[in-house]
């Protein structure tokens, strides 16, 4: 079962079970689960393989929109194993709002396999919201969302029509 921790909220499915990845020309790997846990303003990704063959690395990618992904880290694979192996990666600087994470297994020869994408809704514990000018006396107001501890800020202009 997926694990939940405090420090934010999660949207959508956060994990899956028993997806067998063994496609022609791909990597022979059996992945039991891939899940996300929000804790202490970080996103921890955890996965477990049931078996793997020639797995060099796992690449972790993140996206703002679910279409364009950027690698944010790698975790060393165990090469060959018929025993369950637990892996994890911590995103210390998660994106504000909805992010998408994807796991890739990379073979020794560079062949790779992409797994299911997880969506995570991250809202910092110390989120501050301000609207100005207040009182509003113009046709234009600004909504500012920010996290001072992470120096992250998002400003949205609201224009009345």
């Amino acid at each position: 079962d997926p694990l939940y921790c405090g420090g934010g909220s999660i949207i959508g499915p956060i994990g899956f079970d028993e997806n067998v990845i063994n496609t022609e020309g791909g990597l022979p790997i059996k992945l039991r689960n891939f899940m996300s846990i929000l804790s202490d303003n970080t996103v921890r990704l955890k996965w477990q393989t049931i078996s793997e063959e020639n797995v060099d690395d796992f690449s972790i990618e993140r996206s703002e929109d679910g279409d364009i992904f950027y690698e944010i880290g790698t975790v060393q694979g165990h090469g060959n194993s018929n025993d369950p192996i637990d892996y994890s990666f911590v995103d210390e600087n998660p994106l504000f709002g909805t992010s998408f994470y994807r796991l890739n297994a990379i073979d020794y020869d560079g062949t790779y396999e992409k797994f299911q994408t997880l969506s995570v809704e991250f809202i910092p514990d110390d989120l501050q919201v301000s609207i100005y000018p207040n009182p509003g006396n113009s046709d234009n107001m600004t909504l500012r969302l920010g996290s001072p501890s992470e120096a992250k800020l998002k400003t949205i202009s609201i224009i009345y029509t």
Side-chain angles (χ1 to χ4, degrees):
D1 288 301
L3 302 174
Y4 295 89
C5 283
S9 60
I10 299 173
I11 62 167
I14 70 157
F16 59 87
D17 274 335
E18 296 298 334
N19 279 316
V20 178
I21 306 299
N22 191 356
T23 59
E24 186 176 326
L27 296 179
I29 183 170
K30 195 183 252 188
L31 188 68
R32 172 169 281 153
N33 57 42
F34 177 40
M35 63 185 68
S36 62
I37 301 167
L38 294 169
S39 179
D40 298 324
N41 284 327
T42 66
V43 175
R44 177 179 296 276
L45 302 171
K46 294 175 67 171
W47 63 98
Q48 183 183 63
T49 59
I50 297 172
S51 65
E52 52 190 81
E53 186 178 323
N54 297 326
V55 176
D56 188 19
D57 291 308
F58 289 94
S59 167
I60 297 88
E61 298 176 326
R62 183 179 65 198
S63 171
E64 290 183 57
D65 60 11
D67 291 323
I68 300 170
F69 284 83
Y70 298 96
E71 184 178 280
I72 59 170
T74 60
V75 173
Q76 183 72 42
H78 281 79
N80 298 297
S81 176
N82 288 316
D83 297 319
I85 300 174
D86 295 314
Y87 294 94
S88 68
F89 175 83
V90 177
D91 183 357
E92 299 283 346
N93 298 299
L95 301 175
F96 180 81
T98 303
S99 295
F100 302 88
Y101 293 90
R102 184 168 63 195
L103 179 67
N104 303 309
I106 304 167
D107 199 345
Y108 290 125
D109 67 3
T111 306
Y112 63 93
E113 199 70 53
K114 294 177 190 248
F115 297 101
Q116 176 177 337
T117 301
L118 300 178
S119 63
V120 176
E121 179 75 15
F122 175 72
I123 301 172
D125 292 334
D126 58 350
L127 178 69
Q128 294 181 351
V129 178
S130 62
I131 299 176
Y132 59 90
N134 190 3
N137 57 4
S138 68
D139 293 337
N140 190 7
M141 294 187 71
T142 300
L143 169 66
R144 179 174 276 181
L145 306 172
S147 173
S149 67
E150 298 294 324
K152 294 177 183 173
L153 184 68
K154 186 168 193 168
T155 301
I156 302 167
S157 291
I158 303 168
I159 301 172
Y160 297 107
T161 58

